[in-house]
Amino acid sequence: EAAVTQSPRSKVAVTGGKVTLSCHQTNNHDYMYWYRQDTGHGLRLIHYSYVADSTEKGDIPDGYKASRPSQENFSLILELASLSQTAVYFCASSDRAEVFFGKGTRLTVV
Amino acid sequence: TQTVSQSDAHVTVFEGDSVELRCNYSYGGSIYLSWYIQHHGHGLQFLLKYYSGNPVVQGVNGFEAEFSKSDSSFHLRKASVHWSDSAVYFCAVSPNSNNRIFFGDGTQLVVKP
């Protein structure tokens, strides 16, 4: 069964600290995405990738970096975490017609 | 700019009622269309998709959606809702010409007993 696994599932980070969110997919998909969801709102695209070793900026890339070292793995990096980055983060992989989401990472920056 | 519009932020119905959740998009080329459901505190799960062929597509749990090129729409329907259908529903559009997937803002469906 297609799967997208995110780690950690929740994290509390200190303002100014570095945070790395990891994502692993077993779907053999070329496309991977990082979305942010704030309480009561929709999804906003942060970064995405359609091939290993390459990433693209989404709609809200400021304050985030991404890394795609292999087809299976896609990381989201917050070099200097800020309070405004408190949110739930979803990783996803896609074959274009269907998107498979991870269960999300709840990040709280204090 | 490609957009996905879900005109109803909230829809409330009673169990057993039919429901239609609306989705309109602005893109002229070839696209993939899909719907997702998000229960409170969970991730998004795939419901159904359309790319070509029969404009009415069937999904899981009795959901179906109809594509209309003339209306630029892909509305989601269910003939008889259950309380467990209460969730947020997201429409998504993926143009064939690029690697992006655009999501609407979601529609909160509340099914009352």
Side-chain angles (χ1 to χ4, degrees), chain B residues 4-24:
Chain B
V4 183
S5 175
Q6 295 182 243
S7 55
D8 298 314
H10 299 275
V11 173
T12 300
V13 295
F14 289 94
E15 201 166 26
D17 284 351
S18 63
V19 70
E20 179 178 84
L21 306 182
R22 293 181 293 192
C23 174
N24 290 87

Side-chain angles (χ1 to χ4, degrees), chain A residues 31 33 37 45 59 96 99, chain B residues 36 38 94-95 98-100:
Chain A
Y31 304 100
Y33 307 84
Q37 186 175 41
L45 181 64
D59 297 321
R96 303 301 302 282
V99 185
Chain B
Y36 296 82
Q38 184 180 33
S94 179
N98 66 45
N99 306 304
R100 297 285 306 269

Side-chain angles (χ1 to χ4, degrees), chain A residues 8-10 12 24 86:
Chain A
R9 293 295 316 281
S10 68
V12 178
H24 179 82
T86 292

Side-chain angles (χ1 to χ4, degrees), chain A residues 49-71:
Chain A
S49 167
Y50 54 88
V51 67
D53 294 321
S54 177
T55 63
E56 303 291 327
K57 293 181 179 179
D59 297 321
I60 53 164
D62 293 344
Y64 303 94
K65 290 172 59 177
S67 173
R68 181 97 182 267
S70 64
Q71 186 192 43

